[in-house]
Amino acid sequence: MTPDVQAFSFISPTHIRFGSGTVSELPARLGEVGGTKPLLVGDPGMAANGLLGRVEGVLRAAGLAPVLFSAVESDPDVASVREGTRIAAEAGCDSVVALGGGSAMDAAKAIAMMMTNPGTPRDYAGTNRLKAPPLPIIAIPTTAGTGSELTIWSVLSDRATGDKFGIGSPMLCPRFAILDPELTLSLPAGLTATTGMDALTHAIESLVCTASNPFSAAHAEMAIRMIGENLRTAVAQGGNLAARSNMLVASALAGAAFNNTRLGYVHALSLPLGSKFKIPHGMVNAITLPAVMDFNLPGNLPAYARIATLLGERTGGLSLRDAARSSVEAVIALKQDIGLHQTLADFGLTEDRFDEVIDEAMTSGNCQVNPRQATKAEMRAILRAASG
Ligand SMILES: [Fe+2]
């Protein structure tokens, strides 16, 4: 059954280029956005595994002289954004290329923004607060999870204050997303698993939320199907190009979906849990997703039943309630198959800190579109379920 269509908008302005070897197009794409001196943003892992050097080589072979900034830590801090902006400004960079996972892309977006806007990143926390367009951004993801290559969001940490915040603006959508699955082949199994669960969480939260619309749902549903069919293989056989290709496309699809709907309680909780307990983003989502789904079921039984089917569950003959419930079982089975057995307790969360986490989570805009509103006691029950 298709629900009545409510008023909605859908944007996806990023030009997607997908295919093995597409990273070699980077100089041409830079030319299209007027980039002559790019800041190439990566993380120390990208420098160590040679991918940063490879992309630098592609640019140098085309006669370009990129400026490297490879000090982006996971959960990028505002201090890194400040440092990257300083380097880009001193060198006179006119464009930004992001190579890596969500951390590199989110840092690159913030640097591109701070090159053209005054003040500090915190001044732009929230949505639609940029005063001027950022430098043109080209995103080259090396994980299949964040979807940041297509989204309006940059999520930053502030270690001085101990929190994370998001900056959202359509102007932060990269001009190009170069999706080259060969760049994801070397991602270790553990990171493949957690980043893949991040992508699945994006698609599920977008599909079940109250802001879901036919366009976002089409993207989310395809993402869920592709992740269900490919994540196990990508984790078990890192060198499987077909599985890697499908995961990279699925991650982008999920990004396009949630870019237009926002998310839900999993992502609302992931900001305080990630910043206070140092739990990697994909990991914390994977841990809380089944408990949040279980709570949310009554809020959107048809969508959860659909998720079960997309994840390969047999739902014929089941009641709508039972079919929806089997989506939770499907996610738990997927987690087990890709080796994710952790709980929140494994990262040091204890009951005396539940309220602190919940109070911060409830300030997230993602809560507004969650399909079922929780009391504080119900949020505690979700955290308890994800702790044991
Ligand atoms: Fe996420």
Side-chain angles (χ1 to χ4, degrees):
M1 190 178 74
T2 306
D4 291 343
V5 178
Q6 308 289 327
F8 71 90
S9 73
F10 185 91
I11 65 158
S12 199
T14 303
H15 184 156
I16 299 166
R17 297 286 302 174
F18 171 84
S20 286
T22 41
V23 71
S24 63
E25 297 179 355
L26 177 58
R29 302 302 162 212
L30 262 175
E32 286 185 46
V33 301
T36 58
K37 194 168 183 78
L39 181 76
L40 177 54
V41 179
D43 58 44
M46 289 296 108
N49 69 15
L51 285 181
L52 203 65
R54 183 173 161 198
V55 172
E56 184 187 5
V58 166
L59 291 168
R60 291 200 183 280
L64 294 159
V67 177
L68 259 58
F69 179 59
S70 62
V72 178
E73 65 276 75
S74 75
D75 296 327
D77 192 79
V78 288
S80 292
V81 173
R82 199 180 311 125
E83 176 65 3
T85 306
R86 186 189 64 75
I87 292 170
E90 275 182 20
C93 292
D94 58 9
S95 49
V96 177
V97 174
L99 177 74
S103 298
M105 288 191 275
D106 286 8
K109 287 175 170 180
I111 292 167
M113 174 189 90
M114 294 314 298
M115 286 290 286
T116 56
N117 287 270
T120 68
R122 175 92 59 178
D123 297 336
Y124 303 96
T127 50
N128 296 319
R129 299 184 64 187
L130 270 66
K131 294 175 171 50
L135 294 185
I137 304 157
I138 296 182
I140 310 175
T142 61
T143 67
T146 167
S148 183
E149 66 273 17
L150 295 190
T151 74
I152 67 172
W153 294 102
S154 167
V155 179
L156 302 177
S157 293
D158 187 341
R159 284 171 178 82
T161 54
D163 69 340
K164 281 183 165 188
F165 61 94
I167 301 166
S169 165
M171 289 193 270
L172 286 180
C173 289
R175 299 279 294 276
F176 282 94
I178 297 180
L179 307 182
D180 186 339
E182 289 180 9
L183 303 185
T184 69
L185 289 173
S186 59
L187 192 69
L191 274 174
T192 303
T194 52
T195 51
M197 286 302 297
D198 186 26
L200 180 63
T201 307
H202 294 156
I204 289 176
E205 293 211 285
S206 178
L207 185 63
V208 304
C209 81
T210 59
S212 177
N213 65 66
F215 279 76
S216 66
H219 286 73
E221 289 192 9
M222 182 60 95
I224 293 167
R225 179 186 291 280
M226 292 176 82
I227 293 166
E229 291 175 351
N230 291 280
L231 181 53
R232 289 175 176 85
T233 309
V235 173
Q237 304 164 14
N240 187 312
L241 186 62
R244 293 292 196 182
S245 297
N246 284 315
M247 282 304 301
L248 193 55
V249 171
S251 165
L253 282 165
F258 87 81
N259 201 29
N260 289 279
T261 58
R262 301 206 77 164
L263 292 156
Y265 281 167
V266 176
H267 274 78
L269 287 164
S270 72
L271 285 192
L273 287 169
S275 59
K276 292 176 194 301
F277 298 92
K278 304 285 174 277
I279 315 176
H281 179 69
M283 174 68 79
V284 71
N285 289 342
I287 292 173
T288 61
L289 178 60
V292 171
M293 289 174 73
D294 204 37
F295 170 78
N296 278 348
L297 287 178
N300 199 341
L301 287 177
Y304 281 105
R306 179 89 183 117
I307 290 166
T309 305
L310 292 166
L311 290 176
E313 295 292 301
R314 266 202 209 95
T315 56
L318 294 182
S319 69
L320 185 62
R321 174 71 177 73
D322 287 345
R325 169 70 209 167
S326 67
S327 69
V328 186
E329 304 303 332
V331 168
I332 292 170
L334 175 58
K335 282 176 56 178
Q336 285 173 347
D337 288 351
I338 59 174
L340 296 178
H341 310 290
Q342 294 83 348
T343 72
L344 293 177
D346 294 332
F347 291 90
L349 178 68
T350 46
E351 293 227 8
D352 57 307
R353 299 196 64 188
F354 278 11
D355 284 2
E356 171 193 343
V357 169
I358 293 165
D359 288 346
E360 190 177 328
M362 288 301 205
T363 66
S364 166
N366 289 316
C367 292
Q368 293 154 16
V369 296
N370 195 71
R372 183 184 176 195
Q373 292 302 305
T375 64
K376 212 161 171 178
E378 287 166 335
M379 289 298 270
R380 285 190 206 106
I382 288 170
L383 289 178
R384 205 168 291 124
S387 294

